Amino acid sequence: MNAPNIKRASLADIRKMKERGELFHDPNAPEGENLGPDFWAEAKLEPPRKPRSVHLKLDPEVFDFFFAEAKGKGHLTRMQNVLKAYVKARRSA
């Protein structure tokens, strides 16, 4: 998730934000959608798939591009997101 309005925070950061009163919880917020029995009758349980660890050699310009875009941290996640988008596009074509 790289949405501009989403901030990454550690548990320690979240605790500090809570102490400063920066976190807000609305007890009157509406509940989520009720999916109903028809949905659950058709639902299938799929176990999570574990990512595979691979060794990958990259051209220096490819690595440097993603490293610079991510400013160091998160470059592998950006590469993963590009590959996922490619797979999605190829499957829908």
Side-chain angles (χ1 to χ4, degrees):
M1 294 183 151
N2 289 334
N5 59 344
I6 295 178
K7 178 187 177 227
R8 290 181 178 256
S10 68
L11 182 56
D13 293 335
I14 293 171
R15 287 183 175 143
K16 289 176 188 174
M17 291 168 63
K18 186 175 180 182
E19 289 171 4
R20 292 190 302 255
E22 295 176 3
L23 297 180
F24 177 73
H25 169 71
D26 183 359
N28 299 320
E31 289 189 18
E33 173 185 355
N34 184 355
L35 299 176
D38 293 338
F39 172 84
W40 294 109
E42 298 292 322
K44 295 179 184 174
L45 180 62
E46 292 189 18
R49 295 177 59 191
K50 292 183 180 179
R52 293 184 184 176
S53 179
V54 297
H55 175 80
L56 178 66
K57 289 186 178 184
L58 301 170
D59 291 336
E61 60 269 17
V62 172
F63 181 85
D64 293 343
F65 173 82
F66 283 99
F67 194 81
E69 283 286 310
K71 296 178 179 64
K73 190 172 183 178
H75 59 287
L76 296 177
T77 301
R78 287 177 184 252
M79 290 180 196
Q80 173 77 355
N81 291 340
V82 168
L83 290 170
K84 282 182 182 181
Y86 177 81
V87 169
K88 184 178 179 181
R90 295 290 295 185
R91 285 188 174 158
S92 64

